[in-house]
Amino acid sequence: LVQQRSVLVLDEATSALDPASEALLLRRLHARDDRILIAITHRMAIAGMAAYSPPMRRVSVSPVTSSSSPATR
């Protein structure tokens, strides 16, 4: 945030913030319309700011067994 870049990528940037700090950060980010912001998040406060949100599909995760781990192949 210190350097003035044209693209800013945030990955779960507010996950450790309390609601007041998150709101302050989001207000400041939203006030800067001179850059592209790409946010990876589970928080609806950030997702709600998006001009575009790509559709997500369900993904299943298979458990890792000892026979399928890279160390045993």
Side-chain angles (χ1 to χ4, degrees):
L1 294 175
V2 174
Q3 296 181 355
Q4 301 301 315
R5 303 292 183 185
S6 60
V7 177
L8 180 63
V9 178
L10 301 176
D11 186 2
E12 296 293 349
T14 65
S15 63
L17 297 180
D18 62 271
S21 298
E22 179 184 46
L24 176 63
L25 176 63
L26 294 179
R27 279 195 305 273
R28 289 185 176 172
L29 289 172
H30 195 261
R32 298 288 312 263
D33 61 355
D34 60 337
R35 69 174 79 182
I36 296 169
L37 175 62
I38 299 171
I40 297 107
T41 186
H42 290 91
R43 295 239 178 150
M44 292 309 297
I46 293 178
M49 292 174 48
Y52 173 74
S53 181
M56 302 301 289
R57 61 182 174 88
R58 285 186 90 90
V59 177
S60 62
V61 177
S62 300
V64 175
T65 61
S66 61
S67 63
S68 64
S69 70
T72 60
R73 278 192 242 158

